[in-house]
Amino acid sequence: MAVNELYQYSLVNALMSGVSESGITAKQLIEKGNIGLGTFVKMQGELLLLDGKVYQLLAGGKIRIADDTDQIPYAVCTRFKPQSTETLTLENKDSVDTVLEKFNDHASNLFMAYRIEGRFRYLKCRTVKGQEYDGQPLSELGKKQFVAEYDNIEGTIVGFRSPSAWQGFFVAGEHMHFIDKDLKVGGHVLDIADGEVSMGVATIHQIHFELPTSEKFNSAKMSTDDVGLKSVEG
Ligand SMILES: [Zn+2]
């Protein structure tokens, strides 16, 4: 994988159909990029790839470093090299999109990756609690996620923006995961207020897909549930 190419394993629609029993290993993911996000087997928490380490952000606010052999049923990553880095204030979550637009307003149908470092006056994150039965769809898990709010917290956000037409393959729009400076808490970012940050951005136009060959993936009935996806990944 060259710099600023996107690698993705499986599809968000597969998670929506509950396909999450196996995947590539953490070791394999690290070879594909240096920043990324995803989830673990049975959707046990959120995944964050940061500087060659794969973190499992668990419900309850705990974090563990994944073993090389941990399996990953869904992930997206890139070998990130920012094309622009700026110091700025993020008033809210939508400000991220404003920054991306300012950097490149001809990328509506392209992908973008970003890395944000700094201090946030307020941050709201969620972590999925994991499947309670085999094949439980992600849309159902969204109703029982762990949500935490943090005041005055320092850390890193890794994010991707995907075009709206790719909903279901990716999460359309912004998708970002956070980890704090001390690597103690983190999750899927729901809300941001007043971030004093440094933000690196890159436009992506090369995409590599790897799809599972498992029987579960093969037999899953997949369709794009836009409303469901927005409720769980918004
Ligand atoms: Zn997420």
Side-chain angles (χ1 to χ4, degrees), residues 37-38 46 126 175-177 188 233:
L37 39 86
E46 314 285 335
R126 77 94 207 270
H175 187 191
M176 41 185 123
H177 287 185
H188 171 104
E233 291 291 346

Side-chain angles (χ1 to χ4, degrees), residues 23-34:
I24 56 164
T25 63
K27 189 165 186 274
Q28 285 172 310
L29 182 67
I30 290 164
E31 285 159 12
K32 305 289 185 190
N34 58 357

Side-chain angles (χ1 to χ4, degrees), residues 30-186:
I30 290 164
E31 285 159 12
K32 305 289 185 190
N34 58 357
I35 62 167
L37 39 86
T39 190
F40 288 84
V41 164
K42 300 195 186 297
M43 297 187 237
Q44 296 286 348
E46 314 285 335
L47 178 150
L48 182 95
L49 167 61
L50 188 65
D51 300 330
K53 280 211 172 78
V54 176
Y55 298 93
Q56 187 175 18
L57 318 173
L58 289 158
K62 282 198 294 290
I63 289 182
R64 73 177 271 273
I65 295 174
D67 295 329
D68 281 354
T69 54
D70 279 4
Q71 291 195 40
I72 295 162
Y74 170 82
V76 52
C77 74
T78 189
R79 200 169 298 290
F80 184 62
K81 187 165 182 244
Q83 295 155 345
S84 150
T85 302
E86 272 190 82
T87 303
L88 47 91
T89 303
L90 294 174
E91 269 176 51
N92 51 47
K93 200 179 166 190
D94 290 341
S95 308
V96 171
D97 209 47
T98 310
V99 175
L100 297 180
E101 280 299 309
K102 215 177 116 204
F103 169 67
N104 186 348
D105 63 359
H106 284 75
S108 301
N109 291 312
L110 301 176
F111 291 75
M112 296 186 95
Y114 46 93
R115 176 179 180 149
I116 302 168
E117 316 249 7
R119 180 174 285 280
F120 303 86
R121 184 180 61 74
Y122 171 83
L123 209 59
K124 187 174 174 185
C125 295
R126 77 94 207 270
T127 41
V128 287
K129 279 182 175 168
Q131 287 173 315
E132 289 163 329
Y133 60 86
D134 196 33
Q136 188 176 21
L138 177 58
S139 52
E140 244 181 64
L141 294 179
K143 289 167 195 142
K144 284 191 247 167
Q145 55 198 12
F146 172 81
V147 178
E149 294 173 288
Y150 305 106
D151 293 315
N152 212 0
I153 190 162
E154 228 178 305
T156 304
I157 290 173
V158 167
F160 293 90
R161 187 178 84 176
S162 311
S164 53
W166 292 73
Q167 180 73 304
F169 285 20
F170 296 84
V171 174
E174 306 299 343
H175 187 191
M176 41 185 123
H177 287 185
F178 169 80
I179 192 163
D180 82 303
K181 183 168 79 48
D182 301 323
L183 312 174
K184 288 277 187 319
V185 295

Side-chain angles (χ1 to χ4, degrees), residues 181-210:
K181 183 168 79 48
D182 301 323
L183 312 174
K184 288 277 187 319
V185 295
H188 171 104
V189 178
L190 296 175
D191 254 321
I192 297 173
D194 304 328
E196 295 299 330
V197 302
S198 150
M199 180 167 167
V201 184
T203 305
I204 290 177
H205 60 95
Q206 296 264 14
I207 304 170
H208 301 259
F209 267 111
E210 184 173 346

